[in-house]
Amino acid sequence: MKVLVINCGSSSIKFELFEMPREKVLAKGIVEKLGEAGSRLRCRMNGHETALEQPIADHDEGLRLIVRTLTDTGHGGIGDRREIEAIGHRVVHAGEAFAHTVMITDEVIRALEDHVDLAPLHNPPNLLGIAVAREVFPGVPQVGVFDTAFHQTMPKQSYLYPVPYEFYVEHRVRRYGFHGTSHRYVAERAAEMLDRPLSGINLITAHLGNGASITAIEGGRSVDTSMGMTPLEGLVMGTRCGDIDPALMVTVARLTGKSMVEIDRILNQESGMLGLTGMSNDMRTLEDAAAKGNERADLALDIYSYRLKKYIGAYTAVLGTVDALVFTGGVGENSDVVRRRCLSGMAPLGYDLDQRINDRTRSSETVISTPESRAKVLVIATNEELMIAKDTFELAGA
Ligand code: ADP
């Protein structure tokens, strides 16, 4: 069965076509800058690279161009769109509505529309992608995979904020968590690497990309995660601040005259590693700078790693015993520097890194701890698209 996975952003559509259950990638690409100057499509399919730069007005035109490209046999395509038998959509926020992947129905769409106020930047393009795909592929089953779903197993003690309870009851103010599809994928892979059933092990999974979150997973169920009501809470990220004193916002507003909306934007887009260094949100650039003696870059790396270490310690306490700590995402998979700094001095807590293996491990499935380490430390490349394709195949193929 051919499954098309779609990740619709505000001005881009990422796509990947899988042959399932073989998990073979047939095509992968992106249309970007929708409705802007320089809009373009890039696609890799059957050894063919397609790159088109042409006006693409909106998501509807974008998806139709993707379908034309995927079915263009001259570029290694599949010939007939009817071969695409199911579509999986990445959806950011499903609130408390869905704890699992679901078939998309009118009722599901209404429930997601109901969550637009919780994810005003992400859910509208996700919904648009679903609407366009239903039009372009009439009658083809569509499946929704939600970033928040995996964390719906968190107990109240981890998801409630200590604020007036009415905020939760009346306005759904609580911690939801994100990156669920990635945490779930690497947890399943970790169980396979350890050759143990997921239901019988405890894991800490650190997804460190541009956004970053860490999750405590007990027997396959998320029991705590660092992102909260929005993806701003938790770890230091590329441009997001992570945990701060909430009164900082009011104080900064008073001191600078900036509005809450402006400060919210700064905390999301101009803080984190970019804010600390004033240089870049890209970990590679910052590691290079630190290696050349840039003190701010070095300090930012220390702050990033120190806060990550605190979460690892906290989640070790939450779980009691940890079978494996998993690093994933662009930074987690590639940055031996961050892994080394956040695990320094952690051997007594159960995390003993093999420095030589750590230093050379990039984006592969590797054990990077010593044989003596109580918990295994793993690097696992995440694959959210494959997880979405697997879920979609499971639901639509049945
Ligand atoms: P996104 O969250 O946008 O999917 P990624 O998971 O691709 O992002 O992670 C992007 C981050 O990974 C960037 O900060 C990038 O610098 C970092 N990264 C990628 N490769 C390396 C590397 N070799 N060493 C250190 N950091 C890396």
Side-chain angles (χ1 to χ4, degrees):
M1 178 190 242
K2 290 185 179 57
V3 173
L4 179 62
V5 172
I6 294 177
N7 181 354
C8 227
S10 57
S11 66
S12 71
I13 309 173
K14 288 188 196 149
F15 60 96
E16 199 159 337
L17 184 65
F18 289 88
E19 178 65 49
M20 298 300 286
R22 276 199 300 143
E23 301 184 3
K24 183 170 191 278
V25 178
L26 303 174
K28 180 176 174 139
I30 184 169
V31 289
E32 50 197 341
K33 299 195 170 183
L34 294 170
E36 298 169 28
S39 53
R40 61 184 181 200
L41 170 141
R42 278 181 295 140
C43 177
R44 189 176 170 76
M45 185 164 55
N46 248 332
H48 290 259
E49 290 278 356
T50 306
L52 302 170
E53 189 159 332
Q54 63 181 72
I56 312 170
D58 52 23
H59 290 76
D60 187 73
E61 267 188 33
L63 189 58
R64 286 178 200 278
L65 181 62
I66 290 170
V67 174
R68 273 205 302 284
T69 308
L70 290 176
T71 52
D72 180 353
T73 47
H75 286 93
I78 57 174
D80 193 332
R81 77 164 61 184
R82 280 169 302 191
E83 285 189 35
I84 297 173
E85 289 184 88
I87 299 180
H89 294 270
R90 177 190 182 206
V91 181
V92 169
H93 212 315
E96 295 183 338
F98 304 110
H100 300 282
T101 296
V102 297
M103 288 290 268
I104 292 173
T105 60
D106 291 341
E107 206 182 351
V108 169
I109 290 176
R110 273 195 296 278
L112 294 176
E113 283 168 350
D114 194 36
H115 285 87
V116 164
D117 54 346
L118 285 177
L121 296 180
H122 292 106
N123 272 24
N126 296 162
L127 278 161
L128 187 59
I130 292 170
V132 169
R134 284 178 127 198
E135 246 181 74
V136 176
F137 293 96
V140 174
Q142 316 250 348
V143 167
V145 183
F146 311 109
D147 275 14
T148 49
F150 181 58
H151 302 300
Q152 278 297 300
T153 47
M154 284 195 291
K156 267 195 169 164
Q157 65 181 14
S158 48
Y159 75 67
L160 280 186
Y161 290 111
V163 295
Y165 198 75
E166 297 73 51
F167 288 6
Y168 169 56
V169 178
E170 288 165 24
H171 302 291
R172 300 181 287 190
V173 170
R174 53 157 284 182
R175 311 183 61 254
Y176 292 98
F178 298 88
H179 289 145
T181 310
S182 174
H183 289 292
R184 183 159 60 98
Y185 175 80
V186 296
E188 288 182 9
R189 290 299 308 152
E192 282 169 33
M193 280 176 78
L194 300 179
D195 201 19
R196 308 247 319 259
L198 184 55
S199 58
I201 56 174
N202 291 343
L203 301 168
I204 297 176
T205 52
H207 175 110
L208 313 175
N210 266 315
S213 69
I214 180 165
T215 299
I217 304 174
E218 189 175 55
R221 295 160 60 87
S222 167
V223 293
D224 204 349
T225 193
S226 59
M227 282 180 169
M229 174 144 176
T230 75
L232 189 58
E233 190 179 338
L235 300 170
V236 180
M237 310 180 212
T239 62
R240 287 177 234 158
C241 58
D243 296 332
I244 53 165
D245 179 347
L248 178 151
M249 289 189 79
V250 182
T251 309
V252 170
R254 185 163 42 76
L255 295 173
T256 63
K258 292 189 197 305
S259 71
M260 281 297 177
V261 172
E262 173 65 358
I263 295 170
D264 181 62
R265 192 191 63 74
I266 292 170
L267 296 179
N268 273 287
Q269 297 176 16
E270 293 176 6
S271 298
M273 298 304 272
L274 175 64
L276 281 168
T277 61
M279 185 195 305
S280 173
N281 61 320
D282 191 295
M283 200 58 95
R284 272 166 300 203
T285 308
L286 299 178
E287 283 181 11
D288 287 349
K292 288 185 186 125
N294 184 302
E295 283 178 15
R296 274 208 8 222
D298 194 56
L299 174 65
L301 275 165
D302 271 343
I303 295 171
Y304 185 101
S305 308
Y306 174 72
R307 288 183 164 228
L308 179 55
K309 170 184 274 187
K310 289 207 291 185
Y311 266 101
I312 295 169
Y315 287 175
T316 304
V318 165
L319 293 169
T321 55
V322 177
D323 295 284
L325 163 66
V326 183
F327 287 98
T328 193
V331 175
E333 290 163 30
N334 296 296
S335 175
D336 52 293
V337 174
V338 163
R339 295 188 303 240
R340 184 169 357 99
R341 289 197 192 191
C342 78
L343 291 184
S344 74
M346 294 276 268
L349 222 66
Y351 307 101
D352 190 13
L353 209 54
D354 183 318
Q355 304 293 351
R356 286 207 356 247
I357 300 177
N358 176 55
D359 287 357
R360 60 168 189 256
T361 297
R362 302 272 177 279
S363 277
S364 55
E365 297 196 342
T366 312
V367 180
I368 58 170
S369 47
T370 63
E372 294 76 38
S373 182
R374 205 162 348 117
K376 291 253 188 315
V377 182
L378 310 175
V379 171
I380 299 179
T382 195
N383 194 338
E384 288 158 288
E385 292 76 18
L386 176 58
M387 191 79 251
I388 295 172
K390 281 169 122 176
D391 277 8
T392 304
F393 174 72
E394 207 168 284
L395 271 187

